[in-house]
């Protein structure tokens, strides 16, 4: 039971980083990407390759995963600079589909559909951190660092620049904001953090394959951010806890047959989303009232 | 033209066969208030968009103090000292009133603004001063989306005022204001002009035009039909006929 809860807590922490990273794009910069699982995957594969072929150091692997995801985020930044709104959603959808094909076919890098197995236990600067408690501590540290970094950036001029673009791109330009540069940096930061989350995910599961980086995952991440409260610091965490823990909670309810949990989960998700959009459209953690 | 700060020559723009702006020449002279007047669809806002780089002209030139700025990106033009407002205001709705104004002083895209804490304090000081002048200090922490109509108009003006731009292009800045707010707005604009700001405003309220403008450029169907002193333009029966929608010959 403890092992199960520790695993759940570690996954919630990793997905917390992932949702917080997507919040930089959706919540602060207004870039509605449905391709975030791609950068989660790139980070996971890169981190896993470092662990398998070099050294299973979680810091080094996370740096590699974050850097590669940040670099490849230019694939997302380029359409973000040219198109907006629903056109960008369509462009990111294309990128997501393309990436899943690459993940499935690039056997030498990703292991194809079979994935990468036997990812060695994590260490941190020579210290073994593979035990569930220690790895949870590493993940909590990474989450804290991510949230503090995001909070500092978003409270400053950079964050105001992103939010200005989100609220009115043309007005932001008219006030001297370099919109292409701001968007590119926002995408790079968000995707780098997603890459770090991917690396931690690879260490936690010791096995990764394309199934974790599909469009469904991207949509789930988007739901986490929107349900929790896009553009708020803690909203994505609230959304993550709700959506990740719901299946676990349902499995403990005695009168729901194990075979029906998936169906009940979908019903609860659907109902929760509908009620939320009616009563708290800005998300659970967002301030609800205005001055008038 | 002598003293011209912004010069527009032969500016043209077509949208899918519709000639929105046709060979327009115009000069904004330093410290002079120019009003762009004309019926809806005359091309006034398009002219602003062309000057500010939001859309690219098909032909023509725009020069700021002798420097060609056609083809420059909007943020570059803004940094050169041309500030503009929008007819639909385009405030940063979910940001606070203070952040709306402060944001106008933070053009760099880097993660940190240059100049450290001293520069940050100076920016905040300028922001508070702009809010004070526009009567928004008490609402500094409110979200822009929660402001009343008149307050949003003054916030739009505060964002421009704080930039210390040399040229202000204002798109219907006083439309819908009550008489008291309108008087405050006119006083603020006169203060800015007295301080050396060059203003070009699009305005349908001819009382405000008469009160503020030193010159009027009259546009219709993308063409500049006339330019001159308000008294002369507003007495021209043909122009007034066009403006009030009388059948054209």
């Amino acid at each position: 039971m403890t092992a199960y809860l520790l695993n759940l807590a570690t996954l919630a922490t990793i997905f917390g980083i992932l949702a917080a990273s997507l919040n930089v794009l959706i919540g602060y910069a207004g870039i509605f990407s449905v391709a975030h699982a791609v950068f989660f995957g790139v980070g996971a594969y890169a981190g896993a390759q470092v662990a398998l072929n070099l050294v299973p150091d979680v810091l080094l692997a996370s740096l590699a995963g974050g850097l590669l995801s940040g670099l490849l985020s230019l694939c997302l930044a380029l359409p973000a600079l040219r198109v907006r709104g629903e056109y960008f959603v369509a462009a990111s959808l294309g990128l997501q589909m393309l990436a899943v094909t690459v993940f499935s076919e690039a056997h030498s890098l990703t292991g194809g559909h079979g994935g990468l197995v036997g990812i060695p236990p994590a260490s941190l600067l020579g210290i073994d951190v593979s035990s569930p408690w220690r790895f949870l501590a590493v993940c909590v540290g990474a989450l804290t660092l991510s949230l503090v970094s995001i909070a500092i950036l978003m409270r400053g001029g950079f964050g105001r620049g992103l939010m200005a673009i989100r609220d009115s791109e043309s007005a932001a330009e008219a006030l001297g904001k370099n919109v292409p540069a701001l968007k590119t940096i926002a995408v790079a930061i968000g995707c780098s953090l997603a890459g770090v989350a991917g690396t931690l995910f690879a260490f936690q599961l010791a096995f990764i394959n394309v199934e974790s980086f599909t469009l469904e995952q991207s949509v789930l991440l988007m739901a986490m951010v929107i349900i929790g409260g896009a553009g708020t610091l803690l909203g994505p965490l609230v959304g993550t806890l709700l959506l990740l823990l719901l299946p676990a909670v349902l499995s403990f309810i005695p009168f729901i047959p194990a075979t029906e949990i998936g169906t009940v989960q979908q019903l609860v998700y659907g109902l929760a989303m509908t009620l939320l959009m009616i009563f708290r459209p800005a998300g659970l953690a967002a301030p609800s009232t205005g001055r008038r | 033209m002598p003293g011209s700060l912004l010069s527009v020559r032969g500016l043209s723009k077509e949208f899918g066969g519709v000639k929105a702006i046709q060979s327009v020449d115009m000069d904004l002279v330093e410290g002079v208030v120019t009003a762009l007047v004309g019926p809806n669809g005359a091309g006034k806002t398009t002219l602003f968009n062309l000057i500010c780089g939001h859309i690219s002209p098909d032909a023509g030139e725009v020069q700021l103090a002798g420097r060609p700025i056609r083809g420059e990106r909007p943020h570059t033009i803004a940094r050169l000292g041309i500030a503009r407002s929008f007819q639909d205001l385009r405030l940063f709705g979910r940001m606070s009133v203070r952040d709306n104004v402060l944001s106008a002083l933070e053009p760099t895209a880097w993660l940190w603004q240059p100049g450290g804490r001293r520069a940050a304090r100076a920016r905040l000081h300028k922001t508070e001063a702009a809010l004070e002048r526009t009567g928004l200090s008490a609402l500094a922490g409110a979200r822009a989306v929660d402001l009343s109509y008149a307050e949003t108009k003054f916030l739009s003006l505060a964002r421009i005022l704080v930039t210390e731009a040399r040229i202000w292009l204002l798109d219907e800045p006083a439309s819908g204001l009550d008489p008291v707010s309108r008087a405050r707005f006119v006083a603020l604009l006169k203060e800015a002009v007295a301080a050396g700001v060059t203003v070009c405003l699009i305005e349908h309220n001819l009382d405000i035009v008469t009160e503020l403008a030193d010159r009027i450029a009259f546009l219709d169907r993308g063409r500049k039909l006339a330019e001159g002193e308000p008294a002369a333009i507003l007495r021209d029966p043909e122009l007034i006929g066009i403006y009030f929608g009388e059948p054209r010959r």
Side-chain angles (χ1 to χ4, degrees):
Chain A
M1 186 66 183
T2 310
Y4 172 75
L5 289 176
L6 276 174
N7 180 49
L8 203 59
T10 307
L11 284 178
T13 314
I14 292 169
F15 274 84
I17 299 171
L18 195 52
S21 70
L22 181 59
N23 190 34
V24 174
L25 273 68
I26 291 181
Y28 293 109
I31 300 170
F32 276 78
S33 165
V34 285
H36 210 56
V38 172
F39 302 97
F40 182 49
V42 168
Y45 286 121
Q49 289 290 5
V50 169
L52 283 165
N53 297 307
L54 290 173
V55 56
D57 187 283
V58 70
L59 184 63
L60 193 69
S62 295
L63 278 175
L67 277 175
L68 192 62
S69 291
L71 205 64
L72 289 177
S73 73
L74 288 179
C75 300
L76 189 69
L78 286 175
L81 301 180
R82 300 190 66 85
V83 291
R84 299 174 204 168
E86 62 269 39
Y87 301 105
F88 175 75
V89 172
S92 66
L93 184 64
L95 180 66
Q96 171 71 59
M97 291 161 77
L98 185 75
V100 166
T101 310
V102 172
F103 289 161
S104 307
E105 301 303 324
H107 291 266
S108 56
L109 295 172
T110 65
H113 281 287
L116 296 175
V117 293
I119 297 163
S123 66
L124 178 63
L125 303 171
I127 303 163
D128 177 22
V129 290
S130 60
S131 76
W133 279 109
R134 285 186 180 182
F135 196 68
L136 174 62
V138 168
C139 291
V140 169
L143 174 66
T144 309
L145 200 62
S146 304
L147 289 179
V148 169
S149 308
I150 291 171
I152 291 172
L153 284 177
M154 296 310 145
R155 277 182 198 157
F158 176 73
R160 275 187 288 275
L162 292 188
M163 290 182 267
I165 291 173
R166 174 197 67 193
D167 288 355
S168 175
E169 197 166 314
S170 51
E173 279 184 311
L175 289 176
K177 305 266 178 231
N178 187 339
V179 172
L182 276 162
K183 277 187 173 181
T184 304
I185 296 171
V187 168
I189 291 172
C191 293
S192 297
L193 284 176
V196 171
T199 301
L200 295 173
F201 182 73
F203 275 115
Q204 172 64 11
L205 266 62
F207 157 76
I208 47 167
N209 77 349
V210 68
E211 295 301 321
S212 302
F213 316 120
T214 57
L215 177 63
E216 273 183 19
Q217 187 78 283
S218 287
V219 172
L220 179 70
L221 290 172
M222 192 179 251
M224 286 173 177
V225 174
I226 292 171
I227 287 174
T232 63
L233 187 66
L234 296 178
L237 276 190
V238 174
T240 301
L241 288 175
L242 203 71
L243 293 191
L244 211 62
L245 299 187
L246 185 66
V249 171
L250 289 177
S251 66
F252 282 106
I253 297 176
F255 56 83
I256 302 176
T259 50
E260 299 299 327
I261 285 176
T263 312
V264 176
Q265 186 184 319
Q266 293 302 318
L267 283 172
V268 175
Y269 277 169
L271 191 65
M273 282 284 269
T274 309
L275 290 175
L276 192 77
M277 288 304 113
I278 294 169
F279 295 108
R280 286 190 75 90
L284 291 171
S288 57
T289 53
R291 192 169 70 96
R292 9 177 113 78
Chain B
M1 182 183 280
S4 172
L5 188 55
L6 186 93
S7 158
V8 169
R9 289 290 172 270
L11 212 57
S12 297
K13 182 69 186 177
E14 222 178 284
F15 296 112
V18 177
K19 290 175 177 171
I21 288 289
Q22 300 180 61
S23 298
V24 167
D25 294 344
M26 192 176 75
D27 287 283
L28 297 185
V29 178
E30 208 159 352
V32 168
V33 179
T34 306
L36 286 183
V37 173
N40 290 331
K44 306 180 292 292
T45 299
T46 303
L47 186 57
F48 274 12
N49 286 336
L50 290 168
I51 291 170
C52 293
H54 290 283
I55 49 178
S56 308
D58 297 330
E61 276 305 323
V62 183
Q63 291 196 344
L64 175 65
R67 174 188 165 165
I69 57 169
R70 180 190 163 178
E72 296 283 3
R73 291 197 54 90
H75 70 266
T76 309
I77 293 172
R79 290 179 195 183
L80 289 171
I82 300 180
R84 73 165 293 184
S85 71
F86 295 86
Q87 202 176 322
D88 55 0
L89 303 180
R90 302 187 193 180
L91 301 176
F92 308 133
R94 283 188 274 168
M95 288 165 66
S96 72
V97 167
R98 182 183 287 112
D99 281 354
N100 261 270
V101 179
L102 184 56
S103 181
L105 294 171
E106 298 169 325
T108 178
W110 293 111
L111 299 183
W112 282 272
Q113 300 296 313
R117 286 187 178 180
R118 181 177 291 187
R121 272 198 298 273
R123 285 194 295 272
L124 202 57
H125 182 72
K126 276 186 184 177
T127 300
E128 299 299 345
L131 292 177
E132 182 74 40
R133 281 180 68 188
T134 47
L136 294 171
S137 293
L139 298 168
R143 290 189 312 171
V145 73
D146 295 325
L147 297 183
S148 72
Y149 183 73
E151 288 160 359
T152 59
K153 287 280 192 182
F154 281 100
L155 178 53
S156 174
L157 191 64
R159 284 199 312 197
I160 290 176
L161 196 146
V162 80
T163 61
E164 296 175 353
R166 290 183 288 174
I167 298 176
W168 293 6
L169 306 181
L170 307 177
D171 199 342
E172 298 192 25
S175 64
L177 287 180
D178 61 80
V180 175
S181 302
R182 201 164 62 204
R184 272 180 57 214
F185 165 78
V186 168
L188 265 171
L189 214 58
K190 281 183 173 172
E191 258 178 53
V193 173
V197 172
T198 302
V199 174
C200 181
L201 80 157
I202 296 170
E203 189 51 66
H204 286 294
N205 185 325
L206 296 182
D207 290 338
I208 289 181
V209 170
T210 316
E211 192 170 355
L212 280 173
D214 303 302
R215 294 184 69 76
I216 289 179
F218 193 99
L219 265 67
D220 182 43
R221 298 183 197 179
R223 285 189 181 280
K224 191 177 84 176
L225 298 187
E227 187 174 354
E229 294 191 357
I233 300 288
L234 297 177
R235 267 203 302 264
D236 186 319
E238 192 177 351
L239 297 178
I240 291 301
I242 291 170
Y243 188 71
F244 288 107
E246 287 173 14
R248 293 169 217 199
R249 281 166 279 175

